[in-house]
Amino acid sequence: MHAFFCFRRFFILLLLALPMLSQRAAAQATATGTVLDRAGQPLAFATAVLVALPDSAIANSQTTTEQGGYAFNNIKPGRYCVKALLMSYRSAHSAAFVVGQEPVAVPALRLAPAATALKEVTVTGTTPMLEQHADRTVVNVDRLNTAGETALEIMKKAPGVTLDKDDNIVYRGSTGVNVMIDGKLTYMSGAALSNYLKSLPASAISQIELLPNPPASMDAAGTAGVLNIKLKRSQLPGLSGTYNLGLGYGRYEKSWAGTNLSYNVGKVRLFARLDGGRYNSFNRLTMIRTIRDSLFNQENLWRPLMYSGTYATGADVALTVRQNIGLQLRGSADQTTALRTSNSVTTDLAGNPGSRRQLLNPSNGTNSNQALNLYYRFALDSTGRELSADADYVRYASNNDQSFNNVVFAASSEQGRPAEQLRSATSSETTIRAAKIDYVHPFAGTKWRAETGAKTSWVTSRSAIQFDKLMDSGWQLDALRTNQFQYDEHITAGYVSANTSYGRLELKAGLRGELTQTTGRSATTGQQVDRSYFQLFPSVFASYKITEHDQVSASVSRRISRPNYQSLNPFLNYSDFYTAQQGNPFLAPSLSQSFVFNYLHKGFQVLSLSYLHETNSVNNVLTQNDDTKVSTSTPQNLAQTSTLILSSGGHTDITKWWGVDNQLSGSYTQVETQIQAQPVRLASYSWEASSDHTFLLPRRYKLLVGGGYSSPVVQGLYRAKASGLVNLGLKKQIWAERASFSLKVADVFNTNRFRSTIQYANVNQTWNNQWESRRVTLTFTCKIGSGKTQARHAAASADEEGRVGN
């Protein structure tokens, strides 16, 4: 805590000092505006150019946001105009305007579709893999060779992001991270989120945004911050898109295919995405447990075969020049059949063999989710006032049937006898309803802008598990392992925020309040846990542009992570004879205080300092029964966890044909808590590095060589050992760059493992988890459509509309 207060004092001093540095620049003004298509829809990624008059010199340029907006700061007094350009559209420019000391609101620029398709454009150079902005870090996924990889695997390439042994996303050393897709909450965590990201191909992703300290307009959930996955969607008029086919082989074969289409015409924008795959996989987990004077050597082999598919479709319609409504539907479904075998051998400390157990555990499971989003946007005037509303309905369902066939062998005997025979059927269903409204209000004649909004959500989660035990008379209900659980959660939230600029200094502050009411009850045991609490979440941001190429920024926030729904479920479930998992209905939410400081030079992250302090962080805790030899994993609140990370990295062009993306970070992690009334303290220094090299070769070949290394680190109560890997990739563009082949060999030397130890109280275990990290994949991708507007009936005012904004 002392370190956090020191950072907070430093941050306050920074806020006080920066205005003095910016007094000379405060007299310079800003010019803001938007770029729209002819129907009034915003055009993202258009180029806005600030042109000085009368000599037409380019004073500045930038790319428009997803809302089509741009903002030129620190403009010297004079006469200017703004010109907008975007491929497949005619350019447009504004009327001349004079810049003095007051901000200028430039009327919206409207771009009409080009009459003919543009010729192919050859782009020299390359987009950096990593872009650092004042409030977020952006990973451009197209810069990576993602052949055959899933969204979950790509997440590991983002700075500060790793996966734990259960495939949970870890960001800034914490699993308390909230994941969004296209700026909308997934409402998923744990296994549900992992399964969805495994079924989403990396080729569908455009960017990954990392927000360690999100603004007050976003949910306060996620103690470590927010990860926003931005999917690809074309802005070109007419029909456009891509399709892809892929094959892969690790220890077993894989195949997948997908298409991503957009159709933009007039006042209507349509999109659809469909992906499917067959994934035959493998996992080996080796555990060594020391229990009193005995060693338990256990090897679990898992062979899942998954058929999965994801889909998304939607429409955006311009009702008027300033109003538009939209609908989005997305979802996924998968079916997995798996065979897990477990072999447990008992020896004494001298290595003399004892008894052993074998488990045959076939299973068959299905998962599905559907999400419906309705939204409305209303630009009240040309000054930037905007009203928006969103409504979401999300449903997740899963079912899993398993059999547990145990066989016991006496010491030095090959003749086994049947032991406990079980079967189970589990099901869960989660329904989420949410609605929110937001309002943005710029103050005329000033550089101040305010935002406010409110949100309400209602979640219902129901789970059931039934165990049957084989008796002499046949299968009978095992009442001790059978249960039903229901969880209800209501959250009501509101926020206010304001931002302004003083020359080169930009400031933003916000306050969010959330009232949470939850009830968890077990129908079988009669146990019920009720919670009600109100929390305030302040956030402050500052960014200062020292020179044209140098920028510093700092932010601080307070956030919350609520336990995922299945973690609260008190079910006891066995994965083998000696290993069980159980939920915890008494879990409390975890809270965090976060500080981030960045220094950038020409877009390169020279220095990034991140500090995260969590109280009541949720982690799995092992308890061991020395008599039954059973280890049970239960999520529990840890007293406090602190993580300090210092990192640097970015893109460097060695030559015109050789680009390098480097990342280097060092961290210190400390965990303090109590387990079974005994104090536990874990601490470690760690570091990790990655280097990815891109070589532009003749004949439109691209060679990618890269790899990474992670030193030993503390993850919750586990001490993870070092790991590393080397990747190779080759990409070939064909058909005038309308198609490409990608070949990739991941983890060339097969060195990527999760190895860890856990030791406290009477628990002493070693883990070694191996999966198909070494894989060869081949992917073919091809563009669809010409991007040219399809023939349609022309309106009577077509010619006049074509001249608007020109």
Side-chain angles (χ1 to χ4, degrees):
M1 288 296 295
H2 175 72
F4 179 77
F5 287 120
C6 290
F7 286 134
R8 188 168 66 179
R9 292 187 188 126
F10 167 75
F11 185 73
I12 294 172
L13 290 174
L14 179 68
L15 295 183
L16 295 175
L18 290 179
M20 294 186 291
L21 296 175
S22 63
Q23 285 179 352
R24 292 183 61 187
Q28 296 179 332
T30 62
T32 59
T34 56
V35 179
L36 311 174
D37 65 9
R38 196 164 58 183
Q41 295 285 341
L43 290 176
F45 311 115
T47 301
V49 182
L50 181 66
V51 181
L53 302 176
D55 56 358
S56 297
I58 297 177
N60 203 344
S61 66
Q62 61 181 246
T63 302
T64 59
T65 65
E66 290 189 359
Q67 291 74 39
Y70 62 86
F72 295 111
N73 299 315
N74 309 317
I75 306 176
K76 296 179 181 180
R79 191 162 172 264
Y80 298 87
C81 73
V82 174
K83 186 173 184 178
L85 308 97
L86 182 62
M87 185 180 293
S88 297
Y89 288 87
R90 301 179 200 167
S91 63
H93 60 81
S94 71
F97 55 87
V98 177
V99 173
Q101 296 185 0
E102 298 297 326
V104 177
V106 181
L109 293 174
R110 295 177 178 272
L111 305 188
T116 58
L118 297 179
K119 293 182 179 180
E120 195 73 30
V121 177
T122 301
V123 180
T124 58
T126 182
T127 304
M129 184 192 78
L130 190 71
E131 296 180 41
Q132 183 67 57
H133 301 282
D135 62 342
R136 69 195 63 195
T137 301
V138 178
V139 179
N140 292 301
V141 176
D142 280 341
R143 278 283 286 106
L144 307 170
N145 187 349
T146 62
E149 293 187 301
T150 66
L152 186 66
E153 293 168 323
I154 283 297
M155 298 296 284
K156 295 186 294 185
K157 300 181 183 295
V161 179
T162 59
L163 301 179
D164 68 9
K165 66 180 183 64
D166 299 316
D167 279 343
N168 295 313
I169 295 174
V170 179
Y171 179 44
R172 301 170 68 199
S174 171
T175 55
V177 58
N178 216 10
V179 176
M180 308 176 78
I181 295 180
D182 286 335
K184 303 183 187 302
L185 284 172
T186 61
Y187 297 100
M188 286 184 283
S189 60
L193 178 61
S194 297
N195 288 335
Y196 177 78
L197 294 179
K198 287 177 183 177
S199 64
L200 181 67
S203 59
I205 301 175
S206 170
Q207 293 178 331
I208 299 174
E209 295 181 332
L210 297 87
L211 294 88
N213 287 326
S217 57
M218 289 186 175
D219 284 25
T223 49
V226 169
L227 304 181
N228 181 32
I229 300 173
K230 299 176 71 174
L231 302 179
K232 294 178 180 177
R233 194 181 306 175
S234 174
Q235 298 284 341
L236 295 175
L239 176 67
S240 59
T242 60
Y243 71 85
N244 66 85
L245 301 169
L247 296 172
Y249 188 84
R251 185 175 292 250
Y252 302 103
E253 74 287 347
K254 299 125 182 51
S255 60
W256 59 91
T259 185
N260 191 353
L261 299 174
S262 297
Y263 184 69
N264 305 322
V265 59
K267 297 182 178 182
V268 179
R269 293 172 182 247
L270 304 172
F271 77 93
R273 193 191 77 246
L274 181 64
D275 300 283
R278 178 184 184 273
Y279 304 92
N280 194 357
S281 304
F282 164 83
N283 188 287
R284 175 189 284 117
L285 174 62
T286 304
M287 292 182 288
I288 301 177
R289 313 180 190 188
T290 302
I291 304 178
R292 293 176 180 167
D293 58 352
S294 299
L295 290 178
F296 282 73
N297 293 274
Q298 182 174 335
E299 183 182 68
N300 290 354
L301 299 178
W302 185 44
R303 280 285 315 278
L305 174 60
M306 181 175 74
Y307 293 87
S308 69
T310 63
Y311 63 90
T313 185
D316 190 285
V317 180
L319 299 178
T320 67
V321 173
R322 294 179 179 172
Q323 298 183 74
N324 66 293
I325 61 172
L327 178 148
Q328 292 186 18
L329 176 66
R330 74 169 190 273
S332 68
D334 65 75
Q335 179 175 359
T336 303
T337 57
L339 177 62
R340 188 195 307 268
T341 59
S342 177
N343 186 36
S344 301
V345 180
T346 305
T347 66
D348 60 22
L349 296 180
N352 299 314
S355 63
R356 65 186 178 96
R357 286 181 177 269
Q358 285 185 348
L359 169 69
L360 189 65
N361 175 212
S363 64
N364 187 7
T366 60
N367 296 279
S368 65
N369 75 79
Q370 302 86 34
L372 176 66
N373 171 257
L374 299 172
Y375 58 90
Y376 170 75
R377 304 286 185 270
F378 183 19
L380 300 175
D381 53 35
S382 60
T383 65
R385 289 196 305 138
E386 182 179 284
L387 181 68
S388 61
D390 284 77
D392 293 282
Y393 179 84
V394 185
R395 182 182 179 275
Y396 298 96
S398 66
N399 295 275
N400 191 34
D401 296 328
Q402 298 188 68
S403 296
F404 302 86
N405 304 309
N406 290 285
V407 179
V408 179
F409 296 82
S412 303
S413 173
E414 295 299 324
Q415 185 65 36
R417 60 177 179 81
E420 191 174 42
Q421 309 296 306
L422 301 170
R423 68 183 184 188
S424 69
T426 60
S427 63
S428 66
E429 180 180 311
T430 301
T431 304
I432 302 164
R433 311 125 183 125
K436 69 171 186 172
I437 186 169
D438 300 278
Y439 174 67
V440 178
H441 185 94
F443 293 92
T446 72
K447 297 179 181 180
W448 284 91
R449 166 179 156 138
E451 299 179 46
T452 186
K455 180 180 178 179
T456 182
S457 64
W458 174 29
V459 178
T460 302
S461 181
R462 297 183 178 90
S463 302
I465 184 169
Q466 177 176 316
F467 266 92
D468 296 323
K469 189 173 183 178
L470 184 60
M471 309 295 288
D472 293 338
S473 57
W475 290 101
Q476 293 186 8
L477 179 69
D478 188 341
L480 294 177
R481 294 188 175 105
T482 298
N483 203 347
Q484 293 182 359
F485 181 74
Q486 179 169 328
Y487 176 76
D488 291 284
E489 177 184 87
H490 296 262
I491 300 177
T492 304
Y495 75 92
V496 292
S497 69
N499 64 282
T500 187
S501 61
Y502 296 94
R504 298 179 180 180
L505 175 67
E506 295 182 9
L507 298 172
K508 184 172 183 177
L511 180 65
R512 186 180 185 92
E514 294 189 351
L515 173 64
T516 305
Q517 298 170 298
T518 67
T519 299
R521 54 184 174 271
S522 171
T524 307
T525 65
Q527 186 182 46
Q528 179 166 315
V529 178
D530 297 310
R531 292 186 184 274
S532 179
Y533 52 90
F534 177 77
Q535 295 281 349
L536 291 174
F537 304 98
S539 57
V540 181
F541 307 84
S543 177
Y544 181 71
K545 196 168 185 179
I546 303 172
T547 68
E548 182 181 355
H549 301 299
D550 296 274
Q551 179 181 349
V552 293
S553 63
S555 62
V556 63
S557 70
R558 182 175 188 264
R559 298 185 63 77
I560 188 173
S561 278
R562 301 173 181 87
N564 69 61
Y565 311 127
Q566 293 306 312
S567 294
L568 296 165
N569 190 331
F571 293 175
L572 181 64
N573 199 359
Y574 287 86
S575 57
D576 59 66
F577 195 84
Y578 295 113
T579 309
Q581 300 83 36
Q582 186 173 25
N584 181 3
F586 299 101
L587 285 175
S590 57
L591 297 167
S592 72
Q593 294 171 313
S594 171
F595 170 85
V596 176
F597 173 82
N598 291 317
Y599 168 54
L600 309 177
H601 176 71
K602 292 185 177 180
F604 190 94
Q605 187 185 74
V606 178
L607 173 67
S608 178
L609 179 65
S610 167
Y611 176 75
L612 179 66
H613 180 82
E614 293 181 273
T615 56
N616 286 335
S617 61
V618 177
N619 280 271
N620 286 328
V621 174
L622 280 179
T623 56
Q624 181 175 283
N625 187 318
D626 290 351
D627 295 325
T628 64
K629 320 301 183 188
V630 174
S631 295
T632 303
S633 176
T634 306
Q636 295 185 19
N637 292 112
L638 305 185
Q640 58 181 6
T641 304
S642 300
T643 304
L644 179 66
I645 301 175
L646 186 67
S647 63
S648 177
H651 178 80
T652 303
D653 286 319
I654 306 298
T655 66
K656 291 183 179 180
W657 48 268
W658 180 10
V660 181
D661 294 283
N662 288 324
Q663 293 292 318
L664 177 64
S665 68
S667 63
Y668 174 75
T669 303
Q670 178 178 294
V671 177
E672 295 183 8
T673 191
Q674 279 200 343
I675 298 176
Q676 298 177 359
Q678 295 187 25
V680 175
R681 183 183 183 274
L682 298 175
S684 74
Y685 293 93
S686 62
W687 66 278
E688 60 181 5
S690 65
S691 184
D692 293 286
H693 301 251
T694 303
F695 301 92
L696 303 179
L697 305 180
R699 299 182 181 273
R700 295 179 178 175
Y701 280 97
K702 183 185 293 185
L703 176 66
L704 298 100
V705 181
Y709 172 83
S710 297
S711 73
V713 64
V714 168
Q715 289 187 357
L717 298 177
Y718 290 83
R719 291 185 180 272
K721 297 182 179 181
S723 64
L725 76 166
V726 173
N727 300 320
L728 293 176
L730 186 66
K731 188 173 184 178
K732 164 66 174 176
Q733 293 181 320
I734 59 175
W735 301 345
E737 299 187 5
R738 292 190 59 82
S740 65
F741 283 100
S742 294
L743 176 67
K744 181 176 182 179
V745 182
D747 191 12
V748 176
F749 302 105
N750 200 25
T751 55
N752 198 15
R753 303 281 188 276
F754 181 86
R755 300 174 301 156
S756 66
T757 60
I758 183 167
Q759 187 172 4
Y760 54 80
N762 64 333
V763 176
N764 186 354
Q765 297 186 13
T766 300
W767 297 58
N768 189 344
N769 197 11
Q770 177 185 358
W771 59 92
E772 287 184 299
S773 57
R774 180 165 60 185
R775 297 193 309 273
V776 179
T777 53
L778 178 65
T779 300
F780 172 73
T781 303
C782 184
K783 296 180 181 179
I784 299 174
S786 62
K788 183 178 179 181
T789 304
Q790 303 296 311
R792 60 187 178 94
H793 177 70
S797 58
D799 183 60
E800 290 80 5
E801 291 179 13
R803 301 204 307 269
V804 174
N806 290 331

